[in-house]
C-alpha cells in the first residue's frame, strides 16, 4: 500500500484548453517560471520587495502546460494523493518568507544601519533586488525545464534558503544587505519556479480549479504567518531570518519526500529575440494592450505603498499607546488576507453570474483608489484598519476578475501561454520601478500622504484603462 503522503505523478493529457485556465488571483509577483517571456519568472520569483503575489503563476502554469502538450503526453484522472495539501504548505512557506523578510525584518535591519536614510536605502535595496530577480527568473525557470524534473530544484532551492537567510542576518552595511538579499532572491526563484510548475505537470485539467485554490490560499496563509513571525522576531531579526529559511527548507523536504514525479522531456528556453518579438506582437492587439496598461497601473500603485508598510506605521500612522509598528503589521496583514480571500471568491462568482468583467474590474480598481484616500486624509489607527480591509477587498476582486478578463482578450488561442507571459511583465515591471518611485515621492514630499494620493491616482487610471476594451462586457 502506498504511503498516504505520497503523491505519484503521471504524464498529463494533451489538452490545449489548459493554457487558458486562469491562475489563482494573487498579489502579482514576478513570475517564477519566467522562461518564456522577458520577465517570465516567478505575482511576481519573488520581487525585490518580496511582498506579494503569484499572479505570475499563470505564466508558469501555461508554459509548463504547453511543454507537456507538445510532448503529447496523456494525463491522470486525478491529482496524486496528498499533492494539493503539500502545494498549500509549500506555497504558504514561500509567501511567509517573502512577506516576513521584506515586509518586516529587512525594513528593520535597514533602519538599524541608517535611520535617517531608511526610506531611500530600502527603496534602493528593493529596486536592485527586484531587477536581479527579474533577470534571474528565466534562468531559474529554464533549469528545471532543461532537466525535466521539479523535485530536485524544489529541494535544492528550499535548503539553500537557510544559508542565504543566515548571510542576510549578518550583513551590516547597505551594500552587503543588497548582495545577500539578491542571493536570497536567487535561491527562492529556483524553489518557486519549480513548485509553480508542479500543477501543470501533475494535475489533470479537470482538477486545476482545486489545485489553483490550494496554491492561491498559500498567499493569505503565508502572508499572515510571515507577518506574525516577523513581528515575533522584530528584536532579533537574525533568528527571524533563520526561522523563515527553516520554514522553506522544511516545506521543501516534506514536499519532495511525499511526492513522486515522472521525468518530463527537456525543453530549451525561447531565444531573447523571439521573446521581444512576442512582446511587441501581443501589444499590437487593441484589447490586450489596454488590459496590459490597466494591470500595470494598478500594480504600480499597489506596490508603491505596500513595500513601505512598516515605515508608514512608524512615521505616518498614530498607533494606539503601547503598540509597536511590527505588532501593527501582524494585525493588518491577516485583515487584508481575509478580505482578499472573500472578495476573490465573491468577485469571481458574481462576475461569472452576471457575465460582466469590465464592470467588476473597473469598480474594484476604483475601490482601491478609495481605500488609498483613507490614510491620506487621516493618520489614525482606525483609518489604517479601514484601509487594510477595503484595499484587500478591492485587490482580491481585481486580480480574480482581471485574470479572467485577460484570458478573454488574448490575441490568439494558440499563443495563449506566450501572451500570458507577456502580460506578466505588467506584474513584474511595476514592481521594479515602484520602490524607486515611492522613495522619491516620500523624500521630496517629506511624508507618506503624497504617496497615497499618487497611488490612488494610478488606481483610477487603471480603472479607466478597461473602458476602451471592446470584446468583453
Amino acid at each position: 500500500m502506498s504511503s498516504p503522503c505520497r503523491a505519484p505523478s503521471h504524464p498529463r493529457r494533451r489538452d490545449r484548453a489548459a493554457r487558458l485556465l486562469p491562475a489563482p488571483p494573487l498579489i502579482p509577483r514576478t513570475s517564477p517560471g519566467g522562461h518564456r517571456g522577458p520577465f517570465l519568472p516567478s505575482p511576481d520569483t519573488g520581487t525585490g520587495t518580496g511582498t506579494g503575489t503569484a499572479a505570475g503563476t499563470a505564466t508558469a502554469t501555461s508554459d509548463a502546460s504547453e511543454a507537456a502538450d507538445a510532448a503529447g503526453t496523456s494525463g491522470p484522472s486525478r491529482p496524486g494523493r496528498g499533492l494539493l495539501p503539500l502545494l498549500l504548505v509549500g506555497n504558504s512557506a514561500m509567501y511567509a518568507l517573502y512577506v516576513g523578510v521584506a515586509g518586516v525584518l529587512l525594513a528593520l535591519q535597514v533602519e538599524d544601519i541608517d535611520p535617517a536614510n531608511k526610506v531611500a536605502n530600502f527603496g534602493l535595496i528593493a529596486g536592485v533586488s527586484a531587477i536581479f530577480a527579474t533577470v534571474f527568473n528565466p534562468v531559474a525557470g529554464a533549469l528545471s525545464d532543461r532537466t525535466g524534473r521539479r523535485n530536485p530544484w524544489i529541494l535544492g532551492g528550499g535548503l539553500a534558503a537557510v544559508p542565504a537567510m543566515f548571510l542576510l542576518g549578518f550583513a551590516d552595511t547597505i551594500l552587503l544587505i543588497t548582495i545577500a538579499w539578491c542571493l536570497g532572491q536567487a535561491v527562492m526563484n529556483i524553489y518557486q519556479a519549480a513548485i509553480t510548475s508542479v500543477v501543470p505537470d501533475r494535475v489533470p485539467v479537470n482538477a486545476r480549479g482545486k489545485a489553483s485554490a490550494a496554491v492561491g490560499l498559500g498567499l493569505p496563509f503565508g502572508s499572515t504567518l510571515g507577518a506574525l513571525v516577523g513581528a515575533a522576531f522584530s528584536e532579533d531579526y537574525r533568528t527571524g531570518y533563520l526561522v523563515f529559511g527553516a520554514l522553506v527548507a522544511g516545506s521543501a523536504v516534506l514536499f519532495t519526500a511525499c511526492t513522486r514525479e515522472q521525468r518530463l522531456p527537456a525543453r530549451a528556453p525561447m531565444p531573447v529575440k523571439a521573446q521581444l518579438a512576442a512582446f511587441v506582437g501581443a501589444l499590437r492587439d487593441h484589447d490586450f494592450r489596454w488590459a496590459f496598461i490597466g494591470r500595470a497601473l494598478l500594480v504600480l500603485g499597489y506596490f508603491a505603498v505596500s513595500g513601505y508598510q512598516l515605515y508608514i506605521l512608524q512615521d505616518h500612522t498614530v498607533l494606539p499607546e503601547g503598540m509597536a509598528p511590527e505588532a501593527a503589521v501582524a494585525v493588518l496583514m491577516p485583515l487584508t488576507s481575509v478580505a482578499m480571500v472573500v472578495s476573490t471568491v465573491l468577485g469571481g462568482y458574481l462576475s461569472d453570474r452576471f457575465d460582466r468583467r469590465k464592470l467588476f474590474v473597473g469598480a474594484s480598481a476604483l475601490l482601491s483608489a478609495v481605500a488609498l484616500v483613507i490614510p491620506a486624509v487621516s493618520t489614525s489607527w482606525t483609518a489604517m484598519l479601514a484601509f487594510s480591509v477595503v484595499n484587500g477587498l478591492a485587490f482580491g476582486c481585481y486580480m480574480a476578475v482581471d485574470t479572467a478578463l485577460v484570458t478573454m482578450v488574448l490575441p490568439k488561442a494558440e499563443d495563449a501561454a506566450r501572451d500570458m507571459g507577456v502580460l506578466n511583465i505588467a506584474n513584474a515591471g511595476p514592481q521594479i520601478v515602484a520602490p524607486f518611485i515611492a522613495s522619491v515621492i516620500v523624500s521630496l514630499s517629506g511624508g507618506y500622504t503624497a504617496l497615497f494620493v499618487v497611488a490612488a491616482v494610478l488606481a483610477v487610471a487603471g480603472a479607466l484603462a478597461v473602458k476602451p476594451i471592446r470584446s468583453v462586457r
Side-chain angles (χ1 to χ4, degrees), residues 305 316 375-376 438 440-442 444-457:
V305 171
H316 178 81
V440 170
I441 293 172
V442 174
L444 292 178
S445 66
Y448 293 90
T449 299
L451 181 61
F452 285 115
V453 172
V454 171
V457 171

Side-chain angles (χ1 to χ4, degrees), residues 35-191:
H35 36 293
R36 285 279 294 185
F39 293 97
L40 305 189
S42 123
D44 267 189
T45 168
T47 64
T49 59
T51 46
T53 125
T57 302
T59 301
T61 300
S62 298
D63 290 345
S65 296
E66 184 181 45
D69 289 342
T73 55
S74 60
S77 59
R78 61 180 181 177
R81 183 184 303 176
L83 179 61
L84 301 191
L86 288 169
L87 283 170
L88 173 60
V89 171
N91 281 275
S92 295
M94 176 180 70
Y95 286 114
L97 184 147
Y98 283 140
V99 171
V101 169
V104 181
L105 300 183
L106 192 64
L108 292 172
Q109 187 178 11
V110 170
E111 183 182 30
D112 284 347
I113 292 175
D114 186 1
N117 298 302
K118 64 181 183 181
V119 173
N121 288 334
F122 187 76
L124 176 66
I125 294 170
V128 171
S129 58
I131 294 172
F132 177 86
T134 301
V135 172
F136 190 80
N137 278 339
V139 178
L143 287 174
S144 61
D145 277 351
R146 283 179 179 274
T147 61
R149 299 285 304 278
R150 310 300 181 192
N151 280 12
W153 300 103
I154 293 173
L155 181 62
L159 293 178
V162 176
M165 292 299 102
F166 177 82
L167 291 175
L168 184 58
F170 281 89
D172 57 1
T173 67
I174 298 301
L175 176 60
L176 290 178
I177 291 176
T178 304
I179 294 172
W181 185 223
C182 284
L183 291 175
Q185 293 283 2
V187 300
M188 289 305 296
N189 268 280
I190 292 173
Y191 174 90

Side-chain angles (χ1 to χ4, degrees), residues 348-413:
Y349 171 77
L350 292 175
S351 69
D352 281 346
R353 183 177 181 84
F354 294 103
D355 192 23
R356 300 293 294 270
R357 314 296 176 187
K358 289 171 58 176
L359 173 64
F360 283 90
V361 169
S364 57
L366 290 175
L367 183 61
S368 180
V370 172
L372 289 160
V373 170
I374 296 174
V377 300
S378 173
T379 61
S380 69
W381 172 237
T382 302
M384 238 3 239
L385 291 171
F387 162 74
S388 295
V389 173
V390 177
N391 199 41
L393 290 171
F395 198 74
C397 180
Y398 179 90
M399 291 306 297
V401 184
D402 189 61
T403 299
L405 181 149
V406 167
T407 64
M408 297 176 180
V409 298
L410 294 175
K412 294 181 180 179

Side-chain angles (χ1 to χ4, degrees), residues 27 29 46-54 91-108 122 165 181 185 188 218-231 241 244 248 302-303 306-307 309-310 329-330 332-334 336-337 340:
I27 294 182
R29 193 168 191 78
T47 64
T49 59
T51 46
T53 125
N91 281 275
S92 295
M94 176 180 70
Y95 286 114
L97 184 147
Y98 283 140
V99 171
V101 169
V104 181
L105 300 183
L106 192 64
L108 292 172
F122 187 76
M165 292 299 102
W181 185 223
Q185 293 283 2
M188 289 305 296
L219 179 67
F221 289 173
S223 297
T224 300
L225 178 62
L228 293 173
V229 174
Y241 282 136
F244 283 119
V248 175
Y302 184 92
F303 279 98
S306 66
Q309 184 179 47
L310 182 65
V329 172
L332 297 177
M333 189 61 70
T336 300
S337 298
M340 192 176 296

